[in-house]
Amino acid sequence: MNLELALRMTEAAVKQAYREGARISVAIVDDGGNLVSFQRMDGAEISGPVLARGKAYTSVALRRPTSELPALAAADGELAGLAGAGFVCFGGGLPLWSGYGETERVVGGIGVSGGTIAQDVACAEAGASAWSGR
């Protein structure tokens, strides 16, 4: 993960947000969950910066899209109590993978917040597509 790539990813997410009619915050983190790039659109929700970064961090820490977490973090789920541990357990966060097979590993994450869950996921996917097309 480097700054140039992270900036392209945030820009791709923001462009998708314009298409979706959403006002978002988007965060890119490295493999340690450290912030590399962040953008907040004019008029985006006050909670967006915290949630976007939280979604990016959560996706890296758990190596899965945050959209998979609501069922897992439910009271009877495999990861019950996860949300109470500071993880963000709703859609909009995606891990970024590098390598193949046994060498595949998470190298960062993207988190988007500010739209509906579907809009956040679409914007995160648009940003992640810049990663896959690096």
Side-chain angles (χ1 to χ4, degrees):
M1 178 60 58
N2 62 52
L3 180 59
E4 180 182 344
L5 178 56
L7 290 172
R8 283 198 318 258
M9 292 171 62
T10 55
E11 196 60 37
V14 167
K15 285 180 183 178
Q16 182 64 32
Y18 280 115
R19 289 190 287 272
E20 297 277 335
R23 294 184 196 137
I24 63 162
S25 295
V26 56
I28 310 297
V29 299
D30 64 15
D31 61 348
N34 302 298
L35 189 62
V36 178
S37 176
F38 175 82
Q39 288 188 39
R40 180 184 173 272
M41 296 173 70
D42 293 340
E45 295 293 330
I46 191 171
S47 60
V50 172
L51 291 173
R53 186 170 183 187
K55 290 178 185 185
Y57 175 85
T58 299
S59 70
V60 168
L62 300 177
R63 300 181 321 176
R64 65 178 66 212
T66 58
S67 60
E68 295 179 0
L69 298 176
L72 294 171
D76 61 344
E78 183 178 322
L79 300 174
L82 186 68
F87 293 97
V88 180
C89 298
F90 45 93
L94 295 172
L96 305 168
W97 295 87
S98 182
Y100 300 97
E102 292 181 21
T103 65
E104 188 175 44
R105 63 187 181 92
V106 173
V107 295
I110 182 170
V112 174
S113 185
T116 65
I117 296 296
Q119 289 171 327
D120 289 355
V121 169
C123 294
E125 288 173 346
S129 71
W131 167 257
S132 60
R134 58 177 190 247

